[in-house]
Amino acid sequence: LNIVTTGNLRDWMVGRGADPARIEVCYSGIDLKLLEETAKQRQHARNALDLPDNLPVIVYAGRICEQKQPQLFADILREIACRGIPFRALVVGDGELRPLLGRLIREYSLESSVQMLGTVDHQRWLEILSAADIFVLPSKYEGISVALFEAMGMRVVPVVTAVGGQSEVVASDCGFLVPHGPDEMNEYADAVSFL
């Protein structure tokens, strides 16, 4: 028996000749009790990050690499700023494209709206999530992001790419799935602006 974490992966295996009768889906789990306890620290976390109560907070997390499309994320933030929508974005993670993301933030004059927090331990990540309102992850590809599970468990609204198993978790009543395509950046900006 093969146990996979998404229906998308099951379908991929079947498409390559695996026996569908010998594949079962077992979704990854998260500890909601831990998340609920951390969520209670929202005000403390926002104060620690110097975030005003009424300011929407966007979080982007993961390896800052080509897969996670940091340039697209910067373009989304620039578009939101051009629309006159105030926000703060928290970038959690590190990777080979972090210098590019930092350069784009400066080039787009977003330094006062974006905090680059680097790599943090898991508890700190959950505290950051507790301060957030919107989780944006414009990945080229994913299975299902663990950060997505955790964001949703913390009631942070996801705006993520419609790839891999993401659609098995994100429905229209709890978040936004953005398809790849020529208008991708605007669709992300529209969803975030709506929220």
Side-chain angles (χ1 to χ4, degrees):
L1 181 66
N2 291 289
I3 300 173
V4 297
T5 58
T6 67
N8 178 267
L9 181 54
R10 177 196 57 221
D11 296 345
W12 181 87
M13 289 176 68
V14 169
R16 282 153 185 76
D19 179 358
R22 296 186 46 82
I23 304 172
E24 295 292 331
V25 176
C26 179
Y27 289 103
S28 298
I30 56 172
D31 185 351
L32 285 177
K33 183 180 278 188
L34 171 65
L35 299 182
E36 289 166 1
E37 287 302 312
T38 306
K40 292 176 185 174
Q41 301 171 19
R42 177 177 171 85
Q43 192 58 53
H44 175 74
R46 286 181 76 101
N47 290 344
L49 291 163
D50 195 27
L51 301 169
D53 292 338
N54 61 346
L55 190 65
V57 176
I58 301 163
V59 67
Y60 167 95
R63 293 178 320 279
I64 303 176
C65 62
E66 188 61 32
Q67 175 196 358
K68 307 296 183 182
Q69 301 196 95
Q71 182 170 355
L72 176 57
F73 179 67
D75 291 344
I76 294 163
L77 296 181
R78 177 177 61 176
E79 176 62 24
I80 295 165
C82 286
R83 294 179 184 189
I85 299 170
F87 67 89
R88 183 75 52 84
L90 307 175
V91 177
V92 178
D94 205 350
E96 64 271 12
L97 294 183
R98 183 178 176 170
L100 169 68
L101 181 56
R103 183 178 56 75
L104 290 172
I105 288 166
R106 289 186 302 279
E107 184 179 309
Y108 298 163
S109 301
L110 295 172
E111 300 96 333
S112 64
S113 297
V114 181
Q115 290 177 254
M116 302 280 284
L117 302 175
T119 302
V120 299
D121 66 31
H122 190 249
Q123 184 56 42
R124 179 70 178 134
W125 159 241
L126 295 180
E127 291 165 5
I128 292 165
L129 264 181
S130 75
D133 302 296
I134 303 166
F135 174 71
V136 175
L137 191 62
S139 301
K140 282 187 174 182
Y141 57 90
E142 288 286 347
I144 295 180
S145 163
V146 173
L148 170 61
F149 278 126
E150 292 174 330
M152 292 178 72
M154 298 281 281
R155 296 180 176 89
V156 177
V157 181
V159 181
V160 298
T161 313
V163 294
Q166 309 280 64
S167 65
E168 297 173 50
V169 177
V170 179
S172 61
D173 64 344
C174 67
F176 293 84
L177 288 166
V178 178
H180 286 305
D183 204 35
E184 187 172 356
M185 189 276 297
N186 282 319
E187 289 190 40
Y188 270 102
D190 289 347
V192 174
S193 298
F194 172 79
L195 292 168

